[in-house]
């Protein structure tokens, strides 16, 4: 496994990625003190309790795609401010900050890449960019990723990590759910495989559109998955939520996941699935 | 009869209405000639009505959309359709009372009607779960749409929900999956789908039955990615604020920022048409509201009947494919 030793394409830290900058770090799952080096070797998962630290979209590119195989598309798409949205801050300032902080132009990167030699249309979301929220840019990039799958007749892989639709683009964000799902209907009709990978968290508008529509849906362990946020549900029912509610394990139990896969096994699993799910000739 | 609290901005009009009625009674009982005075008052009332309603804020419009006397799906169905026969259940789990549907005739034409349903008094409100669907509601709606497709019937959908229900059972039974599945399936249903936002269109709960060839909004309805309350809770953590006036102000600000009213959505090219309501709002005249809407629905049906099912699906996909506003860096 050469990919994680490559120094030039190091997995690097960021605020919401939970990846530590120091030599030592405390696991959020079990409290164990782990060296950052061993954490990194372990795919940013705790060797003791298997807690999966959140990583970024570029990290998934390195983790899942064959070396240097990503041909990135639509990286030049950036948010407009269609509503002139302002709360305590201007939306345009929020976007500018997120771009500066993450080095990304929005909350998803997409392109054509290879997984163990299988050519795929690939997209990975990034929570570090305004909570991975889906506005017009994310919707458009996902739509184009689906269209690339259709045009080239290659499988679609989407790694989701999102709190849902982006509030600051209002109804336009909501409509991205319809746009992406309608295109997936076309993909489905053409019998092109789509594997949806859910990571922590995948909720609301993203969960209620493309993330739920994979032919096969897999999730990393202990991810928060669901439609409504746990706080909203607790408020509505006026009580405590049961333990493990809205976790990957809960989703699997209720029949909405095919499998829970450790990050260390993710590439192998995708590769295996792609071997079975071929585009009919 | 339901106890009815007038909205603040309605009060001056209600007051004038009361005076006009009093004067008419007086004229009748005392046999007085007051027609000039009455006419004057009526003119004043009409001016005032126009004046107030053209200046309503977005937050006030949302109050109208939530008006307890506003016509709900079953009211409109009753006023517009004949021979309505309600169909129940998703065939998997339950019958969701927050959504109604069935066959009906619109000027003699066979139609599948689906609508989210609220209740007017406390008991019915609870029975209808405030118009908040569970997954079985979305699945029931899809079952009826597939039924319509099988028998080549156009589908008319009324959206009126404060959101998909956020509860434990809803999550256990796959609220997100149910909505996502509907979106994908509705994209390729081979009969015309006309969607009308008649009151509240909150987020995925509305969109889950809201994808169609034509999307209309009644003049005083709203449709948004999140309710102003939800938006304010996220942006200003209103649950931790004690001052009700401050919370109210935050909701108003959120309502303005979200651009959720019919004019906003028309401007953003998300909807095809704004359906005008009678003066003062749909709640003041259900009959007239139904009459105006019926005319628009019939017109849209005639237009959509001109397309083959393939044309219909292609046009529907294209309609949604082009939604989005962004910039491309060079």
């Amino acid at each position: 496994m050469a990919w994680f030793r490559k120094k030039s394409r190091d997995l690097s830290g960021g605020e919401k990625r939970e990846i530590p900058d120091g030599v030592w770090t405390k696991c959020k799952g079990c409290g164990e003190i782990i060296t950052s080096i061993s954490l990194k070797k372990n795919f940013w998962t705790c060797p003791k309790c298997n807690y999966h630290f959140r990583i970024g979209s570029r990290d998934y590119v390195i983790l899942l795609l064959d070396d240097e195989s990503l041909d990135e598309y639509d990286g030049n798409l950036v948010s407009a401010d269609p509503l002139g949205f302002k709360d305590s801050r201007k939306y345009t300032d929020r976007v500018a900050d997120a771009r500066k902080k993450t080095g990304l132009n929005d909350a998803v990167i997409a392109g054509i890449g290879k997984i163990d030699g299988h050519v795929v249309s690939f997209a990975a979301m990034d929570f570090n960019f305004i909570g991975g929220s889906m506005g017009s840019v994310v919707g458009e990039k996902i739509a184009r990723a689906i269209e690339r799958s259709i045009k080239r007749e290659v499988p679609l892989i989407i790694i989701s990590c999102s709190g849902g639709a982006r509030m600051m683009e209002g109804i336009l964000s909501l409509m991205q759910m319809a746009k992406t799902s309608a295109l997936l209907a076309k993909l489905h009709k053409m019998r092109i495989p789509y594997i949806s990978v859910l990571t922590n968290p995948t909720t609301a508008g993203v969960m209620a559109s493309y993330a739920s529509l994979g032919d096969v849906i897999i999730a990393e362990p202990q991810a928060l998955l669901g439609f409504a946020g746990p706080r909203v549900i607790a408020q509505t029912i006026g009580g405590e939520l049961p333990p493990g509610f809205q976790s990957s394990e809960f989703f699997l139990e209720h029949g909405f996941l095919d499998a829970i896969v450790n990050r260390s096994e993710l590439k192998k699993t995708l590769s295996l699935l792609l071997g079975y799910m071929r585009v009919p000739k | 009869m339901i106890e009815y609290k007038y909205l603040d901005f309605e009060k001056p009009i209600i007051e004038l209405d009361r005076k006009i009625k009093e004067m008419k009674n007086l004229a009748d009982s005392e046999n007085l000639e007051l027609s000039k005075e009455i006419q004057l008052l009526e003119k004043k009332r009409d001016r005032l009505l126009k004046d107030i309603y053209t200046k309503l804020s977005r937050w006030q419009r949302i109050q109208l959309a939530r008006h307890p006397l506003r016509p709900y799906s079953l009211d409109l169905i009753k006023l517009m359709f004949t021979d309505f026969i309600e169909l129940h259940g998703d065939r998997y789990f339950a019958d969701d009372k927050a959504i109604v549907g069935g066959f009906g005739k619109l000027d003699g034409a066979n139609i599948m009607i689906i609508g989210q349903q609220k209740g007017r008094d406390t008991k019915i409100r609870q029975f209808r779960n405030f118009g908040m669907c569970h997954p079985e509601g979305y699945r029931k709606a899809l079952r009826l749409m597939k039924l319509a497709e099988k028998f080549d019937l156009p589908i008319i959908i009324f959206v009126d929900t404060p959101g998909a229900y956020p509860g434990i059972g809803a999550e256990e039974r796959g609220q997100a999956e149910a909505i996502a599945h509907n979106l994908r399936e509705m994209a390729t249903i081979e009969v015309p789908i006309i969607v009308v936002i008649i009151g509240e269109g909150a987020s995925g709960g509305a969109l889950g039955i809201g994808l169609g060839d034509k999307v209309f909004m009644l003049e005083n309805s709203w449709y948004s990615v999140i309710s102003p309350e939800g938006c304010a809770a996220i942006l200003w953590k209103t649950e931790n604020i004690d001052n009700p006036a401050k919370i109210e102000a935050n909701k108003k600000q959120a309502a303005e920022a979200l651009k959720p009213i019919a004019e906003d959505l028309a401007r953003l090219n998300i909807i095809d048409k704004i359906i005008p309501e009678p003066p003062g709002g749909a709640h003041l005249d259900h009959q007239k509201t139904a009459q105006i809407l019926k005319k628009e629905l019939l017109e849209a049906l005639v237009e959509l009947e001109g397309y083959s099912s393939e044309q219909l699906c292609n046009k529907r996909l294209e309609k949604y494919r082009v939604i989005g506003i962004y910039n491309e860096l060079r």
Side-chain angles (χ1 to χ4, degrees):
Chain A
M1 289 275 220
W3 58 265
F4 66 80
R5 287 195 213 104
K6 284 194 89 155
K7 281 204 180 92
S8 59
R9 305 180 69 196
D10 234 5
L11 306 187
S12 56
E15 259 175 63
K16 285 186 183 168
R17 306 164 83 167
E18 306 180 336
I19 293 180
D21 295 328
V23 180
W24 297 93
T25 188
K26 192 173 172 183
C27 173
K28 282 193 175 175
C30 64
E32 180 84 356
I33 307 288
I34 321 156
T35 68
S36 296
I37 291 169
S38 65
L39 197 58
K40 189 170 150 189
K41 272 191 184 159
N42 211 37
F43 308 86
W44 299 103
T45 62
C46 174
K48 195 178 166 209
C49 75
N50 198 30
Y51 178 82
H52 279 51
F53 284 73
R54 183 179 296 132
I55 56 176
S57 50
R58 299 228 173 256
D59 300 327
Y60 280 105
V61 170
I62 298 168
L63 185 75
L64 300 175
L65 298 185
D66 300 345
D67 276 353
E68 313 286 343
S69 75
L70 180 73
D71 188 3
E72 193 182 336
Y73 280 78
D74 310 317
N76 62 332
L77 264 56
V78 293
S79 288
D81 182 16
L83 304 190
F85 196 95
K86 184 175 175 281
D87 50 272
S88 52
R89 294 175 68 198
K90 280 188 189 164
Y91 175 48
T92 47
D93 290 345
R94 253 181 227 280
V95 171
D97 278 6
R99 286 178 64 189
K100 209 168 138 193
K101 191 179 76 179
T102 60
L104 300 165
N105 277 339
D106 214 302
V108 69
I109 56 174
I112 294 287
K114 283 183 184 167
I115 295 178
D116 282 348
H118 299 280
V119 178
V120 295
S121 174
F122 180 87
M125 302 189 74
D126 204 305
F127 198 75
N128 207 23
F129 197 103
I130 318 185
S133 56
M134 169 167 65
S136 295
V137 172
V138 170
E140 182 63 23
K141 286 172 88 167
I142 294 287
R144 292 186 188 184
I146 299 167
E147 286 168 337
R148 272 193 294 279
S149 266
I150 293 171
K151 200 173 158 211
R152 296 172 189 233
E153 301 190 348
V154 296
L156 173 71
I157 310 264
I158 302 177
I159 316 295
S160 289
C161 188
S162 172
R166 190 174 294 168
M167 216 158 52
M168 301 80 150
E169 290 183 30
I171 194 73
L172 288 160
S173 301
L174 187 73
M175 290 300 146
Q176 302 309 308
M177 295 167 63
K179 173 162 111 182
T180 53
S181 302
L183 280 169
L184 284 173
K186 200 171 164 188
L187 186 89
H188 189 64
K189 226 176 177 173
M190 295 188 67
R191 299 164 71 192
I192 293 169
Y194 165 34
I195 303 173
S196 172
V197 180
L198 315 179
T199 69
N200 184 37
T202 303
T203 58
V206 168
M207 194 74 230
S209 58
Y210 56 85
S212 281
L213 294 173
D215 296 307
V216 169
I217 307 176
I218 56 186
E220 290 189 344
Q222 296 160 41
L224 172 70
L225 308 176
F227 179 68
R231 245 190 7 189
V232 175
I233 298 173
Q235 264 175 18
T236 307
I237 63 168
E240 297 267 306
L241 299 172
F245 183 63
Q246 293 187 307
S247 62
S248 304
E249 294 70 19
F250 171 93
F251 245 56
L252 183 72
E253 182 64 29
H254 288 283
F256 295 100
L257 275 186
D258 288 288
I260 296 174
V261 177
N262 283 331
R263 194 176 286 156
S264 56
E265 300 292 314
L266 206 49
K267 181 169 183 174
K268 209 173 85 186
T269 306
L270 288 176
S271 172
L272 191 63
L273 285 168
L274 288 168
Y276 287 108
M277 302 164 68
R278 292 180 178 277
V279 182
K281 287 293 165 210
Chain B
M1 200 46 209
I2 311 126
E3 202 183 311
Y4 171 48
K5 209 172 141 239
Y6 293 106
L7 301 173
D8 281 343
F9 56 85
E10 286 185 293
K11 281 176 184 161
I13 294 159
I14 303 301
E15 185 57 28
L16 271 177
D17 274 343
R18 198 182 52 77
K19 269 190 196 156
I20 292 167
K21 206 174 161 191
E22 263 179 25
M23 210 173 269
K24 278 181 177 166
N25 284 342
L26 193 71
D28 281 354
S29 62
E30 307 286 322
N31 217 358
L32 294 173
E33 176 48 47
L34 293 171
S35 58
K36 246 188 191 154
E37 286 82 353
I38 291 171
Q39 234 174 36
L40 221 68
L41 271 182
E42 281 175 341
K43 260 191 188 159
K44 193 178 165 192
R45 174 198 183 273
D46 291 346
R47 259 205 322 272
L48 188 67
L49 195 71
K50 206 175 157 197
D51 201 41
I52 291 173
Y53 277 76
T54 46
K55 285 183 197 149
L56 290 182
S57 71
R58 290 185 172 86
W59 180 243
Q60 286 171 321
R61 298 288 284 275
I62 289 172
Q63 302 318 304
L64 278 178
R66 292 171 175 169
H67 204 292
L69 292 181
R70 198 170 168 80
Y72 296 146
S73 288
L74 283 174
D75 300 318
L76 292 173
I77 290 170
K78 212 170 169 183
L79 289 167
M80 274 192 267
F81 293 84
T82 54
D83 292 340
F84 176 62
I85 174 158
E86 194 179 344
L87 305 173
H88 295 271
D90 71 341
R91 297 292 189 270
Y92 298 112
F93 181 76
D95 181 48
D96 192 333
K97 310 294 192 296
I99 201 158
V100 297
F103 297 119
K105 290 184 198 296
L106 193 67
D107 258 11
N110 293 343
I111 306 281
M112 176 62 78
I113 315 151
I114 296 165
Q116 281 155 332
Q117 181 64 31
K118 293 178 173 176
R120 220 156 253 134
D121 62 33
T122 311
K123 212 173 142 190
I124 308 281
R125 230 174 261 155
Q126 275 169 0
F127 176 72
R128 297 292 181 188
N129 199 32
F130 306 89
M132 294 191 279
C133 296
H134 281 77
E136 47 272 24
Y138 295 104
R139 291 179 185 132
K140 167 178 165 179
L142 185 61
R143 182 177 82 82
L144 298 184
M145 289 183 231
K146 293 279 183 185
L147 203 57
E149 187 179 42
K150 183 170 177 180
F151 299 109
D152 203 15
L153 305 179
I155 303 165
I156 292 176
I157 298 173
F158 295 145
V159 171
D160 192 9
T161 182
Y165 188 66
I168 290 175
E171 296 290 324
E172 284 174 341
R173 300 194 290 279
Q175 190 74 290
E177 192 277 342
I179 292 171
H181 191 82
N182 275 19
L183 294 179
R184 192 180 73 185
E185 293 301 310
M186 289 178 83
T188 53
I189 291 266
E190 294 185 350
V191 291
I193 304 175
I194 304 171
V195 177
V196 189
I197 318 296
I198 60 168
E200 299 192 86
S203 195
L207 184 65
I209 56 162
L211 197 149
D213 303 299
K214 296 274 177 196
V215 180
F216 298 155
M217 280 178 83
L218 284 188
E219 190 182 346
N220 294 309
S221 63
W222 67 272
Y223 191 9
S224 171
V225 67
I226 189 168
S227 69
E229 287 83 353
C231 177
I234 292 170
L235 291 177
W236 294 285
K237 310 259 179 288
T238 43
E239 61 187 71
N240 304 327
I241 299 174
D242 286 334
N243 180 354
K246 181 120 198 291
I247 295 175
E248 194 71 5
N250 284 337
K251 286 180 193 168
K252 279 181 195 167
Q253 199 183 339
E256 290 301 315
L258 285 168
K259 308 267 189 293
I261 62 169
E263 280 94 329
D264 296 322
L265 274 80
R267 211 172 297 125
L268 290 163
N269 288 321
I270 302 294
I271 56 166
D272 298 281
K273 204 170 220 174
I274 301 172
I275 311 291
E277 293 181 19
H283 63 286
L284 295 179
D285 195 341
H286 289 195
Q287 191 91 43
K288 181 90 182 146
T289 306
Q291 197 190 328
I292 298 168
L293 180 57
K294 185 175 171 178
K295 192 176 148 275
E296 295 287 351
L297 289 173
L298 286 169
E299 256 174 48
L301 283 170
V302 168
E303 186 198 324
L304 294 172
E305 263 168 19
Y307 299 114
S308 71
S309 54
E310 196 188 340
Q311 284 172 323
L312 211 54
C313 289
N314 288 342
K315 276 175 72 81
R316 198 182 299 148
L317 177 62
E318 187 54 25
K319 176 185 173 77
Y320 286 92
R321 177 61 190 91
V322 298
I323 299 179
I325 298 175
Y326 51 85
N327 295 322
E328 297 198 45
L329 302 175
R330 263 177 236 191

